[in-house]
Amino acid sequence: MKTVKKSLRENVLVNRLRPFKESKLFILLLSSLLGIFAGYLSIVFRKAASFGTSLFDSAQKIGNFSATDLTAYIPILVSIIFVTIYSNTGFWGARGFSSILKAVFKTHGHLSLNNSFKKLGLSLLSIIGKGSVGRESMIAQCSGGFGSWLGRVFHLNSRKTVRLIVSSAAAAIAATFGAPIAGILFAIELLAEEVHVSLAPMIIASLSASLVVKNYGLNPVVDMNLWNSVSVKDLYVFAILGILSGLFGALYSHTSNITSKKLYGKKSSPLIAGLAIFALLIYMPKLTGGGYEQASLMLQSSSTVNEMLIYVIGKALITILCINSGWAGGHFGPIFSIGIALGLILGAKFSYMSASLAIAGAAALCASVTHAPLALIILTWEMTNTSDVFIPVTVSVVIAILVRDIFNVRNLYESPLIDLLSKKTNKKNEKTIKQIMEKKPTTVDTDQKIKDVLYLTRTKKQTYFPVLQNKKLNGIITRANILHALEADLHGRINREHLDDKVSRWTSSIEEILIIKENDSVLDTAHKMRISGINISHLPVVNNLEEMKVVGVLHSEDVLRALDV
């Protein structure tokens, strides 16, 4: 009797605390915490990267060499470090926004915070080594890892954890470019299949990150307050720029996807990129680095068409080589600078609006590569602080997207490396749930009474029952639900009036539980169970998500047994 009373008291306390944890306010509070984390992470990362690179940019003499001479050898050292790390740990994996996509669509909200910080360290090494990589994607990954960690700490289900991870993408863009609205739209367009997860967390995270960076006094990575007025008769030039951006974006994405298949995962690949950067630092140093400084310099100075052409082609090649060879970082920053150079090539002919063409080129090329047109249009508006950008930039972006779609090129963040990672399962773990589940389980109907279920728990020696409505899964009812129905107060006195209540009143709905399909793999199911944040001992198994016909019950010990744990 004492055990029953203790269970009832614990159940009351849990249910008293549950409403706040499951409320929208709680998720918004976590989203604001995530945004603050992303904002300060962006500040610390930028400061660390600036400090690291400045150590090798001084003119102080060291023996017979100057520090600037020695700088050329830094990429070799960094690439050797990468090779050593990858050789000993095999530390390959999806990075940046690719890791966000993987966490949302493949691992159901799991993103390791520990690994994310390790990859942030590799990204810092890449920047110090003058690698052509962007920094915003690694901030997104670490923020996403923090969001996933929060989900595990507070035992959130996978859907709520995914909301936090999606919000991290918005916060990263907001913190890097000082553009909170663009950050929100980027997250929506990048993760279009998950838009239903709610806009509110993305808005809170993005605004929080932007406010943190702004209050610190840190400027956006690129100064774009240089927009020239554009007349209607000149819009055709922006249309031509859109065509060029669409063609180049499709070529860039296709080349990157091919390169990832050739180089990604090979332990010696980082050395190839290191040697290439070494050569560029000697002969064409402007092609090295993340592209942010070059973008600002190109907007504020004049360059010849030949110089811009060399930059466009060379920067694209070294960026593809770096990122797909294991140098940690993203495409966004370098692509942004390439787009500016592409716009300036046309700007040589139309010098009175060269800055506008450069800004539109950056937006159009980034939209073509990232598949996020609306985010890039709003990004240029937020960074230029003028609404004059809308029509010209929209013309370039829309045409670039239409041209790119002709070639049906995949989003870079959905590159083949994610497909490669998802196939790394051994034959032992290819068992399906159908092979290990308990078949023909005892079920109850929504119209049955609590006392009927209580009777079944005694006669069937079962504490878990799928609940059906019109022969479809409607939810579950467990011993905990029954205890909740019969509890009266903290003293454990049983309320017998609820014995005649219908099962439907005390059923845990399908939104509160994990639903497993009979053809799901055991490994995937085990992963879902681990990260769901739900106390799981049994799961309903259905034939498919359309018919929702219950075909079995899966016990946690069956999964452990199948995995030989």
Side-chain angles (χ1 to χ4, degrees):
M1 188 63 184
K2 289 183 179 179
T3 303
V4 173
K5 287 186 176 182
K6 184 179 179 182
S7 297
L8 287 169
R9 282 194 292 269
E10 290 175 351
N11 201 46
V12 170
L13 291 173
V14 169
N15 282 290
R16 296 282 161 81
L17 294 173
R18 185 181 298 168
F20 177 67
K21 194 180 79 169
E22 295 183 351
S23 67
K24 292 182 179 179
L25 178 60
F26 185 69
I27 293 297
L28 295 182
L29 287 173
L30 292 183
S31 299
S32 65
L33 183 62
L34 178 64
I36 293 169
F37 175 85
Y40 280 111
L41 181 65
S42 177
I43 293 169
V44 171
F45 188 70
R46 285 175 65 179
K47 292 291 184 182
S50 298
F51 176 75
T53 52
S54 65
L55 288 177
F56 304 101
D57 289 340
S58 64
Q60 184 179 0
K61 292 283 184 179
I62 303 176
N64 294 324
F65 298 93
S66 69
T68 51
D69 294 329
L70 294 174
T71 299
Y73 294 91
I74 300 302
I76 304 295
L77 176 62
V78 170
S79 62
I80 291 172
I81 293 172
F82 283 153
V83 170
T84 304
I85 291 173
Y86 294 147
S87 297
N88 294 331
T89 65
F91 197 58
W92 290 90
R95 297 193 181 94
F97 293 116
S98 293
S99 70
I100 300 290
L101 284 169
K102 186 169 181 281
V104 171
F105 298 120
K106 293 186 180 294
T107 60
H108 311 285
H110 178 70
L111 183 58
S112 171
L113 181 60
N114 185 33
N115 284 346
S116 296
F117 272 113
K118 288 177 182 178
K119 291 177 183 178
L120 187 70
L122 295 181
S123 182
L124 185 60
L125 276 176
S126 299
I127 292 170
I128 293 173
K130 301 294 184 180
S132 185
V133 294
R135 63 183 66 152
E136 64 290 321
S137 63
M138 301 312 297
I139 295 170
Q141 177 167 349
C142 275
S143 301
F146 182 65
S148 181
W149 177 79
L150 287 174
R152 294 193 295 276
V153 167
F154 292 102
H155 301 287
L156 302 180
N157 59 37
S158 58
R159 180 177 296 182
K160 291 180 180 178
T161 303
V162 162
R163 292 182 185 182
L164 295 176
I165 293 175
V166 171
S167 300
S168 68
I173 293 296
T176 304
F177 294 96
I181 301 175
I184 296 164
L185 293 172
F186 182 79
I188 292 173
E189 293 182 291
L190 179 65
L191 303 156
E193 296 177 45
E194 288 292 326
V195 170
H196 66 273
V197 298
S198 178
L199 282 172
M202 285 188 277
I203 293 171
I204 295 296
S206 184
L207 290 175
S208 298
S210 183
L211 286 172
V212 166
V213 174
K214 187 175 182 180
N215 288 336
Y216 187 81
L218 204 62
N219 295 321
V221 288
V222 180
D223 181 12
M224 292 175 58
N225 289 308
L226 299 167
W227 184 262
N228 309 124
S229 59
V230 177
S231 63
V232 176
K233 65 180 182 179
D234 291 324
L235 289 179
Y236 78 95
V237 182
F238 289 85
I240 295 171
L241 179 60
I243 294 171
L244 294 175
S245 300
L247 290 170
F248 192 83
L251 179 61
Y252 179 93
S253 298
H254 186 64
T255 305
S256 181
N257 288 337
I258 292 174
T259 307
S260 69
K261 294 179 182 179
K262 301 291 184 182
L263 296 178
Y264 206 88
K266 295 181 179 178
K267 295 171 184 176
S268 60
S269 294
L271 191 57
I272 299 173
L275 291 171
I277 298 169
F278 168 73
L280 289 175
L281 281 171
I282 296 173
Y283 298 106
M284 290 182 285
K286 290 183 179 179
L287 297 183
T288 61
Y292 303 107
E293 295 80 6
Q294 292 94 329
S296 297
L297 288 173
M298 285 187 291
L299 283 170
Q300 296 169 2
S301 61
S302 58
S303 301
T304 65
V305 173
N306 287 339
E307 288 176 334
M308 290 297 99
L309 278 172
I310 292 171
Y311 186 86
V312 167
I313 297 170
K315 189 67 173 176
L317 292 175
I318 192 61
T319 301
I320 290 170
L321 182 61
C322 281
I323 292 174
N324 293 300
S325 296
W327 286 56
H331 295 271
F332 203 101
I335 286 295
F336 203 83
S337 68
I338 294 170
I340 286 175
L342 197 62
L344 288 174
I345 291 173
L346 272 181
K349 179 71 174 177
F350 304 92
S351 57
Y352 58 91
M353 57 177 184
S354 60
S356 300
L357 286 168
I359 293 168
L365 186 59
C366 283
S368 175
V369 170
T370 64
H371 295 211
L374 188 56
L376 270 302
I377 293 170
I378 297 301
L379 179 68
T380 55
W381 166 58
E382 290 186 281
M383 295 186 72
T384 57
N385 294 316
T386 175
S387 58
D388 294 342
V389 303
F390 280 120
I391 294 177
V393 171
T394 300
V395 169
S396 295
V397 168
V398 170
I399 292 177
I401 292 295
L402 292 174
V403 171
R404 181 216 63 203
D405 285 346
I406 294 173
F407 300 95
N408 194 28
V409 180
R410 295 179 68 184
N411 187 330
L412 273 181
Y413 303 129
E414 299 169 356
S415 63
L417 70 94
I418 298 179
D419 296 331
L420 178 66
L421 292 169
S422 67
K423 294 175 182 177
K424 290 184 177 179
T425 57
N426 56 44
K427 293 183 179 179
K428 181 189 296 183
N429 295 328
E430 289 176 357
K431 287 183 180 178
T432 62
I433 297 303
K434 188 175 182 178
Q435 295 172 276
I436 66 170
M437 70 182 183
E438 176 192 340
K439 299 178 181 178
K440 297 181 180 179
T442 301
T443 61
V444 297
D445 195 79
T446 52
D447 292 329
Q448 288 183 254
K449 297 180 179 179
I450 290 295
K451 63 183 180 183
D452 299 328
V453 182
L454 191 59
Y455 176 77
L456 288 173
T457 61
R458 294 168 180 167
T459 58
K460 298 287 186 180
K461 295 183 180 180
Q462 188 175 326
T463 61
Y464 177 99
F465 301 92
V467 179
L468 307 184
Q469 185 176 38
N470 298 326
K471 298 183 179 181
K472 289 186 176 183
L473 180 66
N474 182 258
I476 62 167
I477 188 164
T478 66
R479 176 176 175 271
N481 296 113
I482 297 170
L483 290 173
H484 188 197
L486 299 180
E487 72 188 7
D489 52 37
L490 290 174
H491 300 292
R493 288 191 290 268
I494 295 175
N495 186 348
R496 296 182 180 276
E497 293 179 3
H498 292 309
L499 285 171
D500 290 322
D501 285 352
K502 288 186 176 181
V503 167
S504 57
R505 179 178 177 184
W506 302 101
T507 298
S508 296
S509 66
I510 56 176
E511 287 81 14
E512 301 176 73
I513 60 175
L514 281 178
I515 300 173
I516 305 300
K517 301 188 294 295
E518 60 181 343
N519 292 323
D520 285 349
S521 74
V522 174
L523 184 65
D524 288 344
T525 301
H527 191 70
K528 289 179 185 179
M529 295 170 71
R530 183 172 69 85
I531 67 173
S532 65
I534 302 172
N535 186 17
I536 296 171
S537 58
H538 313 279
L539 291 172
V541 182
V542 297
N543 59 339
N544 57 62
L545 296 180
E546 287 74 34
E547 296 180 14
M548 293 291 281
K549 179 183 176 182
V550 176
V551 295
V553 168
L554 179 67
H555 306 285
S556 56
E557 56 266 27
D558 294 333
V559 176
L560 295 174
R561 195 178 301 114
L563 295 173
D564 293 331
V565 177

